[in-house]
Amino acid sequence: MTIAETTVFEALESNVRGYCRSWPAVFDTARGAWLTDENGKEYLDFFAGAGALNYGHNNPVLKQSLIDYLLADGITHGLDMSTTAKRRLLESIRDLLLTPRGLDYKVQFPGPTGANAVEAALKLARKVTGRTTVLNFTNAFHGMTLGALSVTGNAAKRAGAGVPLVHAHPMPFDGYLEEAEDFSWMRRALDDNSSGLDKPAAVIVETVQGEGGVNVARAEWLRQLAELCSDRGILLIVDDVQMGCGRTGPFFSFEVAGIIPDIITLSKSIGGYGLPMALVLMRPELDQWAPGEHNGTFRGNNAAFVTAEAALRHYWSDGRLEASTVAKGERIRQHLLGITEGFQGISTRGRGLVQGLVFDDASQAAKVCRMAFEDGLLVETSGTADQVVKLMPPLTITDDEITTGLGILTRAVEVVRDAH
Ligand code: PMP
């Protein structure tokens, strides 16, 4: 293996850098589900930019729309001024996402990260209800800013805040308390005015916890949650930053449960091309913002609007991407089930094209990822103890590429198993 030239990164880039340590290569180009490093070695991508590259690297359809726009001197930076690119995007959101699903939402453009969308959603919920507490779930991940961290579970990430994280209250996610009846504690605490739980403004939930270890909420659990929120006048925020944009199959991850959240956050793949962009969708009556009340310099990344719109038109005008994601996910799931049969101390879970291999011994998950990297597969761990190997390829990955990736992964698991 050629050793990558990384002197300047080590000398100059902050110690905070992370992924470059797991994947010590210097990447140069990328296309579809493949990245190439500067020495010409190719890596198959089962990571997809942490969910920001659902349509693959340098997707040719999206790239062409971007090139045409740039060559025509289209607006690049636009704050929240009206532009033709934004108009086309809003029209496509209405015509391709909302109307066909019978959904009615106003659309907010916050700053372009997931955390910014979460901050906006929390602020809005508090403003509209006049309450401060937000309920979150065990193992949740919502971002690294203070508000988003306050509703995030991971102790190490929370510790980075350096100040108390307040006004949030964790509840057990689906399956966290194996024996308890769903929502028994939450219902009791909400209905007992001596429980010590202030009436919350909102509940924030991921339908599948990506960073938290590929924890899948059952549709029935989500429906009970939605019902509980609506009965008690609590706003339901679905954070679809990682699981939205088709990751689990349908465009919105909550569609399988048939629920209608009050507020939805989107980022990562909404920009289509890996370009930064985020959205907050809110029921129209909740749109109680004053003009400029939540602002930001980079709310108008019009290049992202162009690729976002092209992605909606190209991939979401019909049900083909959803069907292929479900089919590919099922194929991966069956393969992973096969792996678990030959290996004690490992199990699998997931939905659509986010699938996890869960190791009782977390050190094995890390070894599998390291070996996979050496063999040319990018795959990362997630979960409290990094005990889950999370498979998250681009949705546009081909069947042959899935075969290649699963082959590398299986070999890595076998080597780790045989070493024990
Ligand atoms: N919410 C969820 C569910 C996420 O997975 C993430 C990122 N992993 C975020 C919010 C934060 O997004 P960002 O890193 O763009 O701030």
Side-chain angles (χ1 to χ4, degrees):
M1 199 172 71
T2 321
I3 303 294
E5 169 46 51
T6 54
T7 322
V8 73
F9 304 105
E10 278 140 30
L12 204 58
E13 192 179 352
S14 161
N15 203 42
V16 79
R17 65 196 190 278
Y19 287 112
C20 56
R21 301 175 197 267
S22 321
W23 299 325
V26 180
F27 296 100
D28 191 26
T29 58
R31 194 162 194 195
W34 293 91
L35 290 95
T36 307
D37 74 14
E38 62 180 347
N39 298 314
K41 180 171 172 181
E42 295 190 320
Y43 301 82
L44 187 55
D45 189 356
F46 269 28
F47 169 66
L53 291 163
N54 281 6
Y55 313 108
H57 296 264
N58 290 309
N59 180 300
V61 176
L62 310 187
K63 179 162 63 179
Q64 195 56 55
S65 69
L66 180 61
I67 290 171
D68 293 346
Y69 185 74
L70 294 177
L71 289 179
D73 282 338
I75 299 287
T76 295
H77 179 271
L79 286 153
D80 64 355
M81 295 183 286
S82 296
T83 63
T84 51
K86 193 195 250 190
R87 180 165 57 206
R88 278 192 295 271
L89 174 61
L90 283 168
E91 287 169 352
S92 287
I93 290 173
R94 182 191 60 203
D95 299 342
L96 299 174
L97 290 185
L98 302 182
T99 308
R101 290 170 179 78
L103 297 174
D104 186 13
Y105 288 109
K106 294 288 282 292
V107 180
Q108 176 182 0
F109 293 85
T113 64
N116 205 305
V118 167
E119 293 292 342
L122 297 177
K123 270 193 197 178
L124 184 66
R126 289 180 168 126
K127 175 177 162 108
V128 168
T129 61
R131 303 175 212 138
T132 50
T133 303
V134 171
L135 300 185
N136 59 313
F137 289 98
T138 50
N139 285 306
F141 185 89
H142 296 289
M144 300 300 281
T145 50
L146 286 184
L149 261 184
S150 73
V151 287
T152 288
N154 187 295
K157 304 277 188 241
R158 291 175 65 88
V163 294
L165 295 170
V166 291
H167 308 310
H169 204 102
M171 288 287 157
F173 191 70
D174 191 8
Y176 189 78
L177 300 172
E178 278 163 28
E179 255 104 78
E181 192 197 323
D182 295 337
F183 300 107
S184 52
W185 161 239
M186 185 164 151
R187 197 173 284 114
R188 182 77 196 269
L190 286 173
D191 294 345
D192 175 358
N193 61 14
S194 280
S195 69
L197 180 69
D198 294 329
K199 182 166 181 181
V203 169
I204 184 165
V205 68
E206 301 153 270
T207 62
V208 179
Q209 296 180 324
E211 303 304 318
V214 194
N215 305 315
V216 183
R218 288 164 300 137
E220 175 54 28
W221 186 88
L222 289 168
R223 274 193 292 274
Q224 283 188 50
L225 176 63
E227 207 179 293
L228 195 54
C229 287
S230 110
D231 282 355
R232 309 294 193 282
I234 300 164
L235 298 176
L236 177 62
I237 304 170
V238 170
D239 180 353
D240 236 1
V241 162
Q242 186 164 156
M243 294 305 150
C245 305
R247 175 50 58 190
T248 66
F251 185 87
F252 295 109
S253 70
F254 54 80
E255 288 179 56
V256 282
I259 60 170
I260 300 189
D262 297 298
I263 301 176
I264 304 162
T265 54
L266 290 168
S267 181
K268 296 203 189 259
S269 277
I270 189 65
Y273 199 68
L275 294 176
M277 179 185 153
L279 294 179
V280 180
L281 307 182
M282 68 207 78
R283 285 197 293 107
E285 59 272 34
L286 301 178
D287 185 19
Q288 294 173 25
W289 289 118
E293 194 176 357
H294 184 87
N295 65 17
T297 307
F298 287 107
R299 286 168 298 149
N301 183 2
N302 278 247
F305 297 167
V306 169
T307 49
E309 198 278 332
L312 293 184
R313 214 166 358 97
H314 192 72
Y315 290 107
W316 296 102
S317 296
D318 57 38
R320 275 182 303 171
L321 184 65
E322 173 173 348
S324 88
T325 299
V326 171
K328 287 170 189 168
E330 185 53 25
R331 187 181 151 210
I332 294 179
R333 205 177 78 83
Q334 289 303 331
H335 183 93
L336 297 184
L337 278 172
I339 293 183
T340 63
E341 276 163 20
F343 192 158
Q344 279 203 333
I346 170 170
S347 57
T348 183
R349 58 190 181 221
R351 176 178 288 156
L353 277 175
V354 51
Q355 296 287 334
L357 260 187
V358 190
F359 290 80
D360 290 354
D361 172 356
S363 72
Q364 294 180 334
K367 282 183 198 144
V368 165
C369 291
R370 202 172 320 123
M371 284 210 45
F373 169 75
E374 279 162 22
D375 246 0
L377 178 73
L378 300 185
V379 63
E380 74 158 346
T381 55
S382 77
T384 356
D386 282 325
Q387 77 281 25
V388 183
V389 175
K390 181 170 80 167
L391 284 68
M392 212 162 64
L395 309 183
T396 50
I397 193 166
T398 65
D399 286 324
D400 283 350
E401 288 164 342
I402 290 177
T403 306
T404 305
L406 289 178
I408 297 174
L409 186 77
T410 308
R411 277 194 298 282
V413 173
E414 282 167 358
V415 170
V416 169
R417 178 192 59 196
D418 294 345
H420 276 256

